[in-house]
Amino acid sequence: MDALTTHPWDGGPDDDDKPHEECGVVGVWGSADAAALTALGLHALQHRGQEAAGIVSAEAGGIFHAHKGRGLVGDNFGDAAVIAGLPGRAALGHNRYATTGETALRNVQPLYADFEFGGLAVAHNGNLTNAHTLKRALVRRGCLFQSTTDSEVFVHLIAISLYSTVTDRLIDALKQVQGAYSLVALHDGALLGARDPLGVRPLVIGRLAGGGPNGAYVLASETCALDIVGAEFVRDVEPGEIVVIDEAGLRSLKPFGVKPSRFCIFEYIYFARPDSTVEGTPVYDTRKRIGAELSRESNVPADVVVPVPDSGVPAAMGYAAESGLPYELGIIRNHYVGRTFIEPTDQIRHLGVKLKHSANRAVIEGKRVVLVDDSIVRGTTSRKIVEMVRAAGASEVHMRISSPPTTHSCFYGIDTPERSKLLAAKHDVEEMARIIGADSLAFISLDGLYRALGRPGRDAANPGYCDACFTGDYAIPLVDLQQNAAPSLSLLQANGQ
Ligand code: AMP
């Protein structure tokens, strides 16, 4: 995930109406179909990033092959000839969502470099909070950065490390970075997977049938990527753990000591695919429980519960079941709409949401509608949806949100706009209701969210999750921000390189 240049929420061609998603990573070891399985895994993780996709494969003897391109996985890897050009029993893949306006090919992961020890490919999901500071120091030492992605910092730290094995060099690099990362790396001798010491971003281990005496393995951001390739879920990579998968099988290293985990709570609310299980907890069930909790906390007399598709669907089902109200698809989503940048003028751009969603008048007209969505970021989506539902004849519109108010930006790999653009950072709930045009608005409480996750409430001393976007409790130091490190030293404009 990039963070070294401007943010799409801050203007420019990518500043569309919707926030974007993160990155997805997949690694396969020990299968003759490594590249094809990696492509399938990336396909299942498409929701985590749609800007670009890349795969690097490794053949015995340290011969690497790469294919990367802008756009969706299917656009880049749908052709059998492309997969045939990625031979080898190991492969690494990445779906990229750029938090920078720049979608240059040089930023598309996996990043690959030739080192003293041979080739190494790296794919990263997350965001480093000291990337600018490290980059500055590395450039001073003579490191020549080729991209503007923060993930390239890993490559240079590994290159200059004085340790001899690749694993030791990786550990050395990880000890210097701060931030959130789920990292998968591939070299001639092994597939490596690592999560940051607080385990903010997800990474799971799966096992494929066959693959020789010590097995074939898959590392992936979410279990839905294991399901699509028929891999059996083994376990999550633990916070602060490095797994090394090689011809001898899988071994685990914990060079950072054990710290209380702070997994990203927003993965449960929005990011992860509903059929994934993260950190032992199924996402779909959690979303339904959040909806039920929301109904208990802020029920309102109404006739029908309507989800804002797709993200509001499971929470709306939970809300409806708990409240006893009928659940209806009062908003239909068009799944075939491309990015809003295809809409040329401001006036047309403004219609963006209507291209994606339309009201199903038959179930809305004359009804008191409870609309359920997962979050309000800038309020753009909610305002348009509320207006659309009213225009379709709803007599009342009550907005219910399955997350607490998003009051703070994320610096750990979730794309949020700067704080000044967050509706909840500037307005209380009543003002927000007025701004989005709803008759009432309610968010799930922080404690309610934790209850839905099976805890008694939020324990401030040990929350167990990263909830900085709702609380401002940033568990990992925001080094670059505090040091006011400039976003980029790079003057090179990408021009599609
Ligand atoms: P907004 O229109 O700015 O209030 O954005 C809220 C909508 O964006 C909700 O419908 C969410 O489902 C969705 N959303 C929230 N956070 C993200 C994110 N980081 N990436 C993509 N979509 C998001």
Side-chain angles (χ1 to χ4, degrees), residues 88-127:
R89 295 180 65 80
L92 186 61
H94 187 265
N95 272 343
R96 177 170 188 267
Y97 163 64
T99 54
T100 155
E102 187 184 53
T103 6
L105 216 43
R106 64 187 178 138
N107 280 339
V108 178
Q109 297 191 31
L111 299 176
Y112 174 86
D114 285 313
F115 297 80
E116 205 183 328
F117 54 79
L120 178 80
V122 173
H124 167 216
N125 168 212
N127 197 56

Coordinates of all heavy atoms in Angstrom, one line a residue, residues 88-127:
G88 N 7.2 -22.5 -12.6 CA 7.8 -22.7 -11.3 C 6.9 -23.2 -10.2 O 5.6 -23.1 -10.4
R89 N 7.4 -23.8 -9.2 CA 6.6 -24.4 -8.1 C 6.3 -23.4 -7.0 O 5.8 -23.8 -5.9 CB 7.3 -25.6 -7.6 CG 7.4 -26.7 -8.7 CD 8.0 -28.0 -8.1 NE 7.2 -28.6 -7.1 CZ 6.2 -29.4 -7.3 NH1 5.8 -29.7 -8.5 NH2 5.6 -30.0 -6.3
A90 N 6.7 -22.1 -7.2 CA 6.4 -21.1 -6.2 C 6.0 -19.8 -6.8 O 6.5 -19.5 -7.9 CB 7.6 -20.9 -5.3
A91 N 5.1 -19.1 -6.2 CA 4.7 -17.8 -6.8 C 4.2 -16.9 -5.7 O 3.7 -17.3 -4.6 CB 3.6 -18.0 -7.9
L92 N 4.2 -15.6 -6.1 CA 3.8 -14.6 -5.1 C 2.9 -13.6 -5.9 O 3.2 -13.2 -7.0 CB 5.1 -13.9 -4.7 CG 5.0 -12.8 -3.6 CD1 4.4 -13.4 -2.3 CD2 6.4 -12.3 -3.3
G93 N 1.8 -13.2 -5.3 CA 0.9 -12.2 -6.0 C 0.4 -11.1 -5.1 O 0.4 -11.2 -3.9
H94 N 0.0 -10.0 -5.8 CA -0.4 -8.8 -5.1 C -1.5 -8.2 -5.8 O -1.5 -8.0 -7.0 CB 0.8 -7.9 -4.9 CG 0.5 -6.7 -4.0 ND1 0.1 -5.5 -4.6 CD2 0.6 -6.6 -2.7 CE1 0.0 -4.6 -3.6 NE2 0.2 -5.2 -2.4
N95 N -2.6 -7.8 -5.1 CA -3.6 -6.9 -5.7 C -3.4 -5.5 -5.1 O -3.3 -5.4 -3.9 CB -5.0 -7.3 -5.2 CG -5.7 -8.3 -6.1 OD1 -5.2 -8.5 -7.2 ND2 -6.7 -9.0 -5.5
R96 N -3.4 -4.6 -5.9 CA -3.0 -3.3 -5.4 C -4.1 -2.3 -5.4 O -4.8 -2.1 -6.4 CB -1.9 -2.7 -6.2 CG -1.4 -1.3 -5.8 CD -0.2 -0.9 -6.6 NE 0.4 0.3 -6.1 CZ 0.1 1.5 -6.6 NH1 -0.7 1.6 -7.6 NH2 0.7 2.5 -6.0
Y97 N -4.3 -1.7 -4.3 CA -5.1 -0.4 -4.3 C -4.1 0.7 -4.0 O -3.4 0.7 -3.0 CB -6.2 -0.4 -3.2 CG -6.6 1.0 -3.1 CD1 -7.2 1.6 -4.1 CD2 -6.3 1.7 -1.9 CE1 -7.4 3.0 -4.1 CE2 -6.6 3.0 -1.9 CZ -7.1 3.7 -2.9 OH -7.3 5.0 -2.9
A98 N -4.0 1.7 -4.8 CA -3.1 2.8 -4.6 C -3.7 3.8 -3.8 O -4.8 4.3 -4.1 CB -2.7 3.4 -6.0
T99 N -3.0 4.2 -2.7 CA -3.5 5.4 -2.0 C -2.9 6.6 -2.5 O -3.1 7.7 -2.0 CB -3.2 5.3 -0.5 OG1 -1.8 5.0 -0.3 CG2 -4.0 4.2 0.2
T100 N -2.1 6.5 -3.6 CA -1.6 7.6 -4.3 C -2.3 7.8 -5.6 O -2.9 6.8 -6.1 CB -0.1 7.5 -4.6 OG1 0.2 8.3 -5.7 CG2 0.3 6.0 -4.9
G101 N -2.4 9.0 -6.1 CA -3.0 9.2 -7.4 C -2.3 8.5 -8.5 O -2.8 8.3 -9.6
E102 N -1.0 8.1 -8.2 CA -0.2 7.6 -9.2 C -0.3 6.1 -9.4 O -0.1 5.3 -8.4 CB 1.3 7.9 -8.8 CG 2.3 7.6 -9.8 CD 3.7 7.8 -9.3 OE1 4.0 7.3 -8.2 OE2 4.4 8.5 -9.9
T103 N -0.8 5.6 -10.5 CA -0.9 4.2 -10.7 C 0.1 3.7 -11.6 O -0.1 2.8 -12.5 CB -2.3 3.8 -11.3 OG1 -3.0 5.0 -11.6 CG2 -3.1 3.0 -10.3
A104 N 1.3 4.2 -11.5 CA 2.4 3.8 -12.4 C 2.7 2.3 -12.2 O 2.7 1.8 -11.1 CB 3.6 4.6 -12.1
L105 N 3.1 1.7 -13.3 CA 3.5 0.3 -13.3 C 4.7 0.0 -12.3 O 4.8 -1.1 -11.7 CB 3.8 -0.2 -14.7 CG 3.4 -1.6 -15.1 CD1 2.0 -1.9 -14.6 CD2 3.5 -1.8 -16.6
R106 N 5.5 1.0 -12.2 CA 6.7 0.8 -11.3 C 6.3 0.6 -9.9 O 7.1 0.1 -9.0 CB 7.7 1.9 -11.4 CG 7.1 3.3 -11.0 CD 8.1 4.4 -11.3 NE 7.5 5.6 -10.8 CZ 8.2 6.6 -10.2 NH1 9.4 6.5 -10.0 NH2 7.5 7.7 -9.8
N107 N 5.1 1.0 -9.5 CA 4.6 0.8 -8.1 C 3.8 -0.5 -7.9 O 3.4 -0.8 -6.8 CB 3.7 2.0 -7.8 CG 4.4 3.2 -7.4 OD1 5.6 3.1 -7.0 ND2 3.8 4.4 -7.4
V108 N 3.6 -1.2 -9.0 CA 2.7 -2.4 -8.9 C 3.6 -3.5 -8.3 O 4.7 -3.8 -8.7 CB 2.2 -2.8 -10.3 CG1 1.4 -4.1 -10.2 CG2 1.3 -1.7 -10.9
Q109 N 3.0 -4.1 -7.3 CA 3.8 -5.2 -6.6 C 3.4 -6.6 -7.2 O 2.4 -6.7 -8.0 CB 3.4 -5.2 -5.2 CG 3.8 -3.9 -4.5 CD 3.7 -3.9 -3.0 OE1 3.9 -5.0 -2.4 NE2 3.5 -2.8 -2.4
P110 N 4.1 -7.6 -7.0 CA 5.3 -7.7 -6.1 C 6.5 -6.9 -6.6 O 6.7 -6.8 -7.8 CB 5.6 -9.2 -6.1 CG 4.4 -9.9 -6.5 CD 3.7 -9.0 -7.4
L111 N 7.2 -6.3 -5.7 CA 8.4 -5.7 -6.0 C 9.5 -6.8 -6.1 O 9.5 -7.7 -5.4 CB 8.9 -4.7 -4.9 CG 7.9 -3.5 -4.7 CD1 8.3 -2.7 -3.5 CD2 7.7 -2.7 -5.9
Y112 N 10.4 -6.6 -7.1 CA 11.4 -7.6 -7.3 C 12.8 -7.0 -7.4 O 12.9 -5.9 -8.0 CB 11.1 -8.4 -8.6 CG 12.2 -9.4 -8.9 CD1 12.3 -10.7 -8.3 CD2 13.3 -9.0 -9.7 CE1 13.3 -11.5 -8.6 CE2 14.4 -9.9 -9.9 CZ 14.4 -11.2 -9.4 OH 15.4 -12.0 -9.6
A113 N 13.8 -7.6 -6.8 CA 15.1 -7.1 -7.0 C 16.1 -8.2 -6.9 O 15.9 -9.2 -6.3 CB 15.4 -6.0 -5.9
D114 N 17.3 -8.0 -7.6 CA 18.4 -8.9 -7.5 C 19.3 -8.5 -6.3 O 19.7 -7.4 -6.3 CB 19.2 -9.0 -8.8 CG 18.4 -9.7 -9.9 OD1 17.9 -10.8 -9.6 OD2 18.3 -9.2 -11.0
F115 N 19.6 -9.4 -5.5 CA 20.4 -9.2 -4.3 C 21.7 -10.0 -4.4 O 21.8 -10.8 -5.3 CB 19.7 -9.5 -3.0 CG 18.4 -8.7 -2.7 CD1 17.3 -9.0 -3.4 CD2 18.5 -7.7 -1.8 CE1 16.1 -8.3 -3.1 CE2 17.3 -7.0 -1.6 CZ 16.1 -7.3 -2.2
E116 N 22.6 -9.7 -3.5 CA 23.8 -10.6 -3.3 C 23.4 -12.1 -3.3 O 24.1 -12.9 -3.9 CB 24.3 -10.1 -2.0 CG 25.8 -10.3 -1.7 CD 26.0 -9.9 -0.3 OE1 25.4 -9.0 0.3 OE2 26.9 -10.5 0.3
F117 N 22.3 -12.4 -2.7 CA 21.9 -13.8 -2.5 C 21.1 -14.3 -3.6 O 20.6 -15.5 -3.6 CB 21.2 -14.0 -1.1 CG 20.0 -13.1 -0.9 CD1 18.8 -13.4 -1.5 CD2 20.1 -12.0 -0.2 CE1 17.7 -12.5 -1.4 CE2 19.1 -11.1 0.0 CZ 17.9 -11.4 -0.6
G118 N 20.7 -13.5 -4.6 CA 19.8 -13.9 -5.7 C 18.6 -13.0 -5.7 O 18.5 -12.0 -5.1
G119 N 17.5 -13.5 -6.4 CA 16.3 -12.7 -6.5 C 15.4 -12.8 -5.3 O 15.4 -13.8 -4.6
L120 N 14.7 -11.7 -5.1 CA 13.7 -11.7 -4.0 C 12.5 -10.8 -4.5 O 12.7 -9.7 -5.0 CB 14.3 -11.1 -2.7 CG 13.3 -11.0 -1.6 CD1 13.2 -12.3 -0.8 CD2 13.8 -9.9 -0.6
A121 N 11.3 -11.4 -4.3 CA 10.1 -10.7 -4.6 C 9.3 -10.4 -3.3 O 9.4 -11.2 -2.4 CB 9.2 -11.5 -5.5
V122 N 8.7 -9.2 -3.2 CA 8.1 -8.8 -1.9 C 6.7 -8.3 -2.2 O 6.5 -7.5 -3.2 CB 8.9 -7.7 -1.2 CG1 8.2 -7.1 -0.1 CG2 10.3 -8.2 -0.8
A123 N 5.7 -8.7 -1.5 CA 4.3 -8.2 -1.6 C 3.8 -7.8 -0.2 O 4.0 -8.5 0.7 CB 3.4 -9.2 -2.2
H124 N 3.3 -6.6 -0.1 CA 3.0 -6.0 1.2 C 1.5 -5.5 1.2 O 1.1 -4.8 0.3 CB 4.0 -4.8 1.4 CG 3.7 -3.9 2.5 ND1 3.9 -2.6 2.5 CD2 3.1 -4.1 3.8 CE1 3.6 -2.0 3.6 NE2 3.1 -2.9 4.4
N125 N 0.9 -5.8 2.3 CA -0.4 -5.2 2.6 C -0.3 -4.4 4.0 O 0.1 -5.0 5.0 CB -1.5 -6.2 2.7 CG -2.8 -5.7 3.3 OD1 -3.5 -6.4 4.0 ND2 -3.1 -4.5 3.1
G126 N -0.6 -3.2 4.0 CA -0.4 -2.4 5.2 C 0.2 -1.0 4.9 O 0.2 -0.6 3.7
N127 N 0.6 -0.4 5.9 CA 1.2 0.9 5.7 C 2.2 1.2 6.8 O 2.0 1.0 8.0 CB 0.0 2.0 5.8 CG 0.5 3.3 5.2 OD1 0.8 3.4 4.1 ND2 0.4 4.3 6.0

